[in-house]
Amino acid sequence: MYKERIEAYMREHRQEFVEDICELCRINSEKMPPEEDMPYGPGAAECLDAALDMAEGYGLETVDYDGYVGCVDFDGTLPRQLDILAHLDVVPAGEGWTVTGAYDPVEQDGKVYGRGTADDKGPAVAGLYAIRCVRELGIPLKKNVRLILGTDEECGSSDIRYYYSKEEEAPMTFSPDGEYPVVNVEKGRLAGHFTAGFDPSGALPRLVKVEAGVKTNVVPGKARAQVEGLDPAVLEEKAKDVESRTGVRFLLEQEGALCTVTAVGEGAHASTPEEGNNALTGLLALVCELPLAPCRQTELVRDLAGLMPHGDVHGTALGVDMEDAVSGRITLAFSMLTVDASGLDGEFDSRVPVCGNEDNVLKVVKARMAEKGLALLNDSMTPPHQVDADSDFVKTLLKVYERYTGREGKCLAIGGGTYVHSLKNGVAFGASMPGTDNRMHGADEFAVVEELLVSAAMFAQIIVELCG
């Protein structure tokens, strides 16, 4: 019911739809230092104001929650039923754009290029057009649908925590900031932070320092160490041997008695560490092979390499390897480490299946590290998130997806966390179609216009079925 009318509406408004996406994507809305009434800086504030003005121009009700979040309602006097949770902030533009500038969006060959087109301004506009479509087609609703537009998803989601300190969750929430068909299970997370201290040692040969990692949730593609007092020939021989075993390359720069070792692997997201080749664990594998003088620093680094050895992406050596049928196998990425003469500081990122908890993951890791003199500073972890695949809510999403795309509708479990991770009845629904790599967070990010129009049509149908 209504499918033909909804699809016709989206076709008739295609050009306007693209223009509205481009209007928002011309604004650099990455997080900036806060200013008065602008908790995430002027860019995010400008983009939020533009989106709310856009909605008001289409006759829809809007609410601004102190610049943290903006909302668009079908009819705020109706009982709450469905929230669509999207975001307007973006990651930095970065380098390597070839089709157009990051903030100069263009449509080419059926794709809109620009930062935020896929993540998440395009899907946000799809949500707006879904509400607009239902209203302009005169389809009656008994309950309200609200589009929530956040501005800090990329940097911790403090925006949405602020919003839910003011408002209750709707009975149902989906976020078009993931993938199709439906993501109803998200692994938990232990973002481990550990330290250790020791007395400096001047004995040679020695490890001077280690510097590796950019963010906890990124498998490092490069890592560096500096060693002193080693025979260059021995170092080169050991590097070739470890490279043959790990696939990590080593670049050696000798300056007198000091040698800087750069390990080059392949970066990846920490939720999928098997897709990369960890330069940090490769570097530690080399350090363990070097004939360094005995000291507490050397002992701790070798113990650390034993707890998270190269290639172990499931926490096997730490004693937490586990798996379940719902969410799959645990992953663990050793992502950051600094070592100097008197201490070390490191971080790892573990994505924990539904069967995992603080007793069988956090406490086990803490105990294993303590045995080696490493202090895990974490006292809690983010629990897994799961919404019943047999709920009427999820079944409705899957049914509409199948009807509008002709593809199989099924539930997915992922290692990454989405905007709805902490919501009791929240799932990710789109807006990335299977087989489409939108280059999110990379250069030449794009959204396929027809795919976004299908998303908008599906959202409208879902509004009708859940709120009508």
Side-chain angles (χ1 to χ4, degrees):
M1 190 176 184
Y2 297 116
K3 181 175 183 289
E4 291 184 2
R5 293 177 64 194
I6 290 172
E7 289 179 325
Y9 180 93
M10 296 304 171
R11 287 194 300 270
E12 292 165 4
H13 291 80
R14 182 190 188 283
Q15 189 57 40
E16 192 177 11
F17 181 79
V18 172
E19 289 172 358
D20 283 345
I21 293 172
C22 290
E23 178 181 339
L24 298 183
C25 290
R26 290 188 188 99
I27 302 169
N28 178 357
S29 53
E30 66 179 282
K31 190 173 185 177
M32 303 173 191
E35 298 181 13
E36 186 176 358
D37 299 323
M38 301 177 184
Y40 308 114
E46 180 186 355
C47 195
L48 182 59
D49 287 344
L52 295 181
D53 288 346
M54 191 180 291
E56 290 173 3
Y58 297 137
L60 298 170
E61 304 171 18
T62 66
V63 185
D64 187 336
Y65 287 82
D66 304 319
Y68 288 83
V69 164
C71 293
V72 180
D73 289 306
F74 177 86
D75 183 346
T77 66
L78 295 175
R80 295 279 295 281
Q81 173 74 342
L82 175 67
D83 284 350
I84 302 173
L85 179 55
H87 68 90
L88 299 174
D89 59 306
V90 295
V91 297
E95 300 177 351
W97 291 78
T98 62
V99 178
T100 187
Y103 301 109
D104 185 21
V106 297
E107 181 182 354
Q108 182 174 304
D109 299 325
K111 301 173 182 177
V112 183
Y113 289 85
R115 175 60 80 229
T117 51
D119 183 23
D120 191 39
K121 294 176 183 179
V125 172
L128 173 61
Y129 269 66
I131 299 175
R132 180 188 174 195
C133 169
V134 174
R135 189 173 188 84
E136 293 185 0
L137 290 181
I139 301 174
L141 299 185
K142 295 180 180 179
K143 296 183 178 180
N144 188 42
V145 55
R146 163 171 278 195
L147 174 64
I148 303 174
L149 300 170
T151 54
D152 187 42
E153 190 274 340
E154 300 290 2
C155 296
S157 299
S158 62
D159 57 339
I160 213 65
R161 288 193 292 274
Y162 182 86
Y163 172 78
Y164 285 117
S165 73
K166 307 289 183 180
E167 299 284 359
E168 294 183 357
E169 295 177 27
M172 307 172 189
T173 304
F174 75 80
S175 176
D177 189 27
E179 56 190 288
Y180 289 118
V182 171
V183 177
N184 73 314
V185 177
E186 300 176 14
K187 289 180 177 178
R189 186 184 185 207
L190 174 57
H193 182 197
F194 58 89
T195 61
F198 38 80
D199 294 330
S201 171
L204 296 176
R206 69 187 181 104
L207 176 66
V208 178
K209 63 180 178 179
V210 173
E211 296 174 337
V214 290
K215 288 180 69 176
T216 309
N217 65 347
V218 176
V219 175
K222 284 188 177 182
R224 290 182 178 83
Q226 194 173 64
V227 293
E228 182 181 9
L230 273 168
D231 182 341
V234 171
L235 184 54
E236 185 173 346
E237 178 185 353
K238 296 294 186 182
K240 286 181 179 179
D241 177 55
V242 175
E243 181 175 332
S244 68
R245 290 188 279 112
T246 64
V248 174
R249 295 186 297 112
F250 299 100
L251 308 177
L252 310 178
E253 298 178 48
Q254 193 78 36
E255 292 185 16
L258 290 174
C259 183
T260 299
V261 181
T262 301
V264 181
E266 184 175 351
H269 194 279
S271 65
T272 53
E274 70 281 359
E275 295 180 2
N277 192 5
N278 195 319
L280 168 54
T281 55
L283 179 66
L284 295 187
L286 174 59
V287 170
C288 289
E289 295 293 323
L290 300 179
L292 301 175
C295 68
R296 183 57 177 154
Q297 179 212 55
T298 301
E299 181 182 343
L300 275 171
V301 169
R302 288 176 173 162
D303 284 342
L304 183 56
L307 291 172
M308 292 182 283
H310 187 75
D312 181 2
V313 296
H314 298 294
T316 305
L318 278 167
V320 293
D321 192 351
M322 62 183 65
E323 185 175 7
D324 60 47
V326 173
S327 52
R329 194 175 178 186
I330 194 172
T331 61
L332 189 144
F334 189 0
S335 49
M336 300 187 73
L337 180 67
T338 58
V339 182
D340 59 23
S342 59
L344 64 80
D345 188 292
E347 298 181 29
F348 63 86
D349 191 335
S350 181
R351 305 302 170 103
V352 182
V354 171
C355 62
N357 53 54
E358 292 183 357
D359 287 333
N360 61 16
V361 177
L362 172 62
K363 291 180 181 179
V364 172
V365 174
K366 188 183 283 280
R368 287 288 180 98
M369 287 193 156
E371 291 172 0
K372 302 297 184 181
L374 299 160
L376 182 66
L377 305 182
N378 304 69
D379 292 318
S380 63
M381 57 179 276
T382 303
H385 172 71
Q386 183 176 15
V387 175
D388 185 3
D390 292 323
S391 67
D392 290 339
F393 175 41
V394 172
K395 285 182 176 180
T396 298
L397 298 178
L398 292 175
K399 177 183 66 176
V400 170
Y401 174 79
E402 290 186 339
R403 191 189 315 166
Y404 276 76
T405 68
R407 305 183 190 214
E408 178 190 3
K410 59 182 179 180
C411 287
L412 306 175
I414 62 172
T418 75
Y419 224 4
V420 297
H421 190 93
S422 62
L423 301 184
K424 181 178 179 181
N425 199 25
V427 300
F429 183 64
S432 287
M433 288 287 183
T436 299
D437 178 5
N438 300 103
R439 301 174 189 160
M440 293 183 190
H441 293 200
D444 292 336
E445 175 185 346
F446 69 87
V448 179
V449 176
E450 290 305 316
E451 292 182 357
L452 282 181
L453 286 170
V454 171
S455 292
M458 287 194 291
F459 300 167
Q461 186 73 49
I462 288 163
I463 292 169
V464 172
E465 300 205 9
L466 296 178
C467 302

